[in-house]
Amino acid sequence: ACCAAHSGPIFHMVSYAAACGVAPLTAATVLGAAGIAALSGRIICGLMADRLGAKRTLVGCLALQAVAIALYLPARDINSLYAVSMLFGFSYGGAMPLYAILVREHFPARIMGSVFGVVASISTFGMALGPPLGGWLFDHYGGYGWLYVASSAVGGAAVVIALTVRPHRRALVAVPAAT
C-alpha cells in the first residue's frame, strides 16, 4: 500500500507541475527536490528508527506521506510544489529502509530471505499500480485531483495496515536447570 500510494505521485510529478503552469525544465527540478529529500529521509528516519523503533517510525512516515500527497491538491505554484515535493520525498524515502528492519524484527532469521523477497515483490506490484492508475484517472477525469485523493487514501490504508502488524512470536526455549 505504501508503494501504491507514492508511485503515482512520483511518476506524474513533473506532468502535474507542468499542468500547473511551471516551465518544463523547472517542473523536472520538482522531482529532483523530492529525490534529494528522499535521501535525507532515509538517513534521518533510519536514525529515528534506532531511537524510537522501526514500526513507530514507519507509521509516522506513512502518515506523513498520506498528508503530503493530499497537499498536492492545493499546491499550484513552484514554491508550494517544491515544499510539498520535499515533504513527500522525505516521507517515502524515510519509509523505504524501515521495511528491511521490520522483516528482521517480525520474522525468524532462517526465512528472512524468502520473506524479504515476498515483501519486495509486493512492493514492486504496488509501484507498478500507481502510474497507470494515475494516468487513467487523469484521462478519465481531466486532471490530477483524483490521483492525489486516491493515493492519499491508499496511504491512509497503509498506516492502518502498519498499525495492525504484530511481531513474530518466538518460541520460549527451556533452559536446563543447573546441576
Side-chain angles (χ1 to χ4, degrees):
C2 171
C3 289
H6 68 241
S7 63
I10 291 170
F11 187 85
H12 293 281
M13 192 179 300
V14 175
S15 298
Y16 178 66
C20 291
V22 175
L25 181 59
T26 305
T29 66
V30 172
L31 179 60
I36 291 169
L39 290 173
S40 66
R42 291 174 199 273
I43 295 166
I44 293 169
C45 293
L47 292 169
M48 288 174 59
D50 290 343
R51 295 186 188 275
L52 304 173
K55 181 178 176 179
R56 183 178 288 166
T57 306
L58 177 65
V59 169
C61 286
L62 294 175
L64 183 61
Q65 177 179 265
V67 169
I69 292 167
L71 290 174
Y72 275 105
L73 290 165
R76 298 271 189 246
D77 62 87
I78 190 63
N79 292 329
S80 61
L81 288 168
Y82 278 138
V84 170
S85 293
M86 291 176 73
L87 184 66
F88 173 60
F90 180 87
S91 65
Y92 78 74
M96 294 295 94
L98 303 176
Y99 291 108
I101 298 168
L102 290 168
V103 165
R104 178 60 188 107
E105 288 178 353
H106 288 71
F107 295 93
R110 63 182 169 72
I111 64 167
M112 193 168 89
S114 299
V115 172
F116 198 75
V118 170
V119 169
S121 296
I122 292 169
S123 67
T124 300
F125 179 71
M127 288 298 290
L129 286 176
L133 288 177
W136 182 85
L137 289 167
F138 178 84
D139 291 345
H140 194 263
Y141 293 104
Y144 284 111
W146 284 108
L147 163 67
Y148 295 116
V149 168
S151 291
S152 183
V154 171
V159 171
V160 172
I161 292 167
L163 286 170
T164 64
V165 173
R166 300 287 179 247
H168 170 69
R169 291 184 188 196
R170 299 199 174 148
L172 294 175
V173 177
V175 177
T179 49

